[in-house]
Amino acid sequence: MGNFKVEGNIINITKRNIFFGEVAVEDGKIKSISKISEQKEGAHFISPGFIDSHVHIESSMLIPSEFARLAVVHGTVSTISDPHEIANVCGMEGVEFMIENGNTVPFKFNFGAPSCVPATIFETAGAELDHDDVKSLLARPEIKYLSEMMNFPGVLYKDEEVLKKIAAAHQLGKPVDGHAPGLRGDAVQQYINAGISTDHECFTADEALDKLQRGMKILIREGSAAKNFEALIDLLNDWPEMMMFCSDDKHPDSLVENHINQLCARAVKKGIDIFNVLQAACINPILHYKLDVGSLQINDDADFIVLEDLKTFTVKQTYIDGLLLAENGKIVGNWVKHVEDRESVNHFDCSFKKEEDFIYPFTGQKEIPVSEALDGQLITNRISAKPKVLNQNIISDLENDVLKMVVVNRYHDAPIAISFVKNFGLKEGAIASSVAHDSHNIIAVGVDDKSICEAVNLVIMATGGIVALGNEKKEVLALPVAGLMSNHNGYQVAQSYTSIDRFAKDLGSTLLAPFMTLSFMALLVIPHLKLSDKGLFDGDEFKFV
């Protein structure tokens, strides 16, 4: 952590000006910022680093240290990270793993205390965190907030356990993240009145504006499956101090390509004021979550980036605590250490399945309820379809793209939940995954029971992973860390994911990110029709169909 100086066009977001000058760093802190002249044409720009204001590291299929390897090259210096995915699998042990592994690298992870483990009572998770567990996490200085309160019905109906978790955060002066898709009017006011301060689930500008006007901060989300940037970005013109950028769930191939830097470039291209953009990308998360992250001010931690320009947002250098961690698209040095299998955690205890386990008997139904997957959205439509019947069993209907979908309990042997889904487009084989928000049981979609069974068994054999098979070929990306993440080099994992994603599309899927979309088909807290290991679930009525 040496002493050095960097010259460039320095961006002061708070004072909304840019000038050519010099940043002097001593012992990891910004010692001085000196103006040399007015903004200099052709010079690079020095900015505070980018912050992802809401992300589940687990969705990158990378452990935190490997996530950092990919993120820093895009100028990301910090994340607000909700570890509820691994908590739903491994409980407190999973949260500890994320914190400890994150601490092995200089990247600034800021973890929250998961508020919903299990996410609902309508599914089987691998663990439970009660309000005492949550309170003990919140008391730790490295835990910055209470993670997204997905159980919004519990807030509205004043569930005692839910309110105790929120109260624990308030007592310690830590913010509470929200999760309230489609909640409007008096209902969302009640949710806000409970002390919940953010939401990242808005999918229309009207919904976001309603929440902004009531004092809730809105996160503009652009992940691998859920994409709300286009719907919400214009609001940043009028609400620059109330909005942030996040990815929520971002697969490794996508993280290789870009991160928060891409949202900045897209926003500027749309004519959004540069200072508003950088306020959302760099400053607002620090203020809201009280982060120990520098904002390019004297005496701050030297967490800053050097940008080629303010149009493409190409990142030339990334510094954290005065350390040069990335330069020209590559990490500098060997600061990411390999994690051995014995250092990881998991929870997998189910036996291999038989083809007959996936039979769905025909009992004279004229119509069956079907989840309609929507590309780029977490919500599903609820539609009906005429069942296709063979030998008195309902089977996948390839002609109408209504395919069998199953969820298999991975924590113990139990009956398999079976339903049907539209828009996956598979013409051959099946895809399966142990990444199935939020309880992360095994979820699969396929054209026939034999393919579905084989795909599920390959996931079980790997004790977690994603699988695609068909046309006498199969691919497996093993995820031995909680059945959610790989402990291998992030770029290698991204390459493997790109291959299996392409294979799923070769099997007929027309979805932009078929595995990401698959992972949300079991997410009960997002309307309208989802499947848990216990059965088909109505996300509007919050009950089984």
Side-chain angles (χ1 to χ4, degrees), residues 253-421:
D253 58 335
S254 178
L255 186 58
V256 166
E257 295 297 320
N258 55 63
H259 199 194
I260 302 301
N261 59 324
Q262 185 211 35
L263 302 188
C264 294
R266 289 174 61 186
V268 168
K269 190 174 182 180
K270 282 186 165 290
I272 308 296
D273 180 89
I274 182 63
F275 295 107
N276 290 0
V277 172
L278 293 176
Q279 177 84 25
C282 310
I283 304 299
N284 289 344
I286 296 174
L287 299 176
H288 182 76
Y289 294 98
K290 303 172 186 174
L291 305 182
D292 298 318
V293 178
S295 57
L296 200 56
Q297 301 293 319
I298 294 170
N299 296 323
D300 274 0
D301 291 346
D303 308 323
F304 62 90
I305 58 179
V306 178
L307 299 167
E308 186 171 302
D309 56 49
L310 298 182
K311 292 183 179 179
T312 65
F313 285 83
T314 301
V315 179
K316 305 300 291 182
Q317 294 177 321
T318 303
Y319 294 88
I320 299 180
D321 286 333
L323 295 172
L324 176 62
L325 298 186
E327 188 167 28
N328 296 323
K330 295 181 179 180
I331 69 166
V332 175
N334 298 309
W335 47 270
V336 183
K337 307 300 181 185
H338 177 66
V339 172
E340 301 293 338
D341 289 343
R342 59 182 169 77
E343 299 176 73
S344 63
V345 294
N346 205 347
H347 187 178
F348 230 102
D349 189 18
C350 66
S351 58
F352 292 112
K353 306 306 173 188
K354 303 184 295 294
E355 189 175 332
E356 52 264 35
D357 294 332
F358 298 91
I359 289 173
Y360 192 104
F362 175 65
T363 56
Q365 304 97 317
K366 300 294 184 184
E367 290 185 332
I368 53 173
V370 174
S371 303
E372 183 182 31
L374 303 176
D375 213 357
Q377 297 292 342
L378 305 190
I379 62 170
T380 56
N381 288 331
R382 177 176 179 168
I383 61 175
S384 298
K386 182 180 178 182
K388 182 174 182 178
V389 180
L390 179 66
N391 298 327
Q392 288 303 300
N393 295 316
I394 302 177
I395 63 172
S396 291
D397 182 354
L398 274 65
E399 184 178 347
N400 293 302
D401 189 22
V402 176
L403 303 180
K404 183 175 286 186
M405 178 168 65
V406 305
V407 174
V408 178
N409 188 315
R410 69 129 119 171
Y411 303 107
H412 57 79
D413 287 326
I416 294 168
I418 306 171
S419 69
F420 293 84
V421 66

Side-chain angles (χ1 to χ4, degrees), residues 115 131 134 138 146 149 151-171 176 190-191 193-196:
S115 68
H131 71 271
V134 168
L138 285 165
L146 181 65
M149 180 49 71
N151 187 3
F152 59 84
V155 177
L156 300 182
Y157 292 105
K158 295 181 170 55
D159 179 272
E160 184 178 359
E161 183 75 7
V162 168
L163 296 184
K164 283 182 178 179
K165 291 175 181 178
I166 295 172
H170 291 162
Q171 288 164 10
V176 180
Q190 185 179 341
Y191 188 72
N193 289 348
I196 298 170

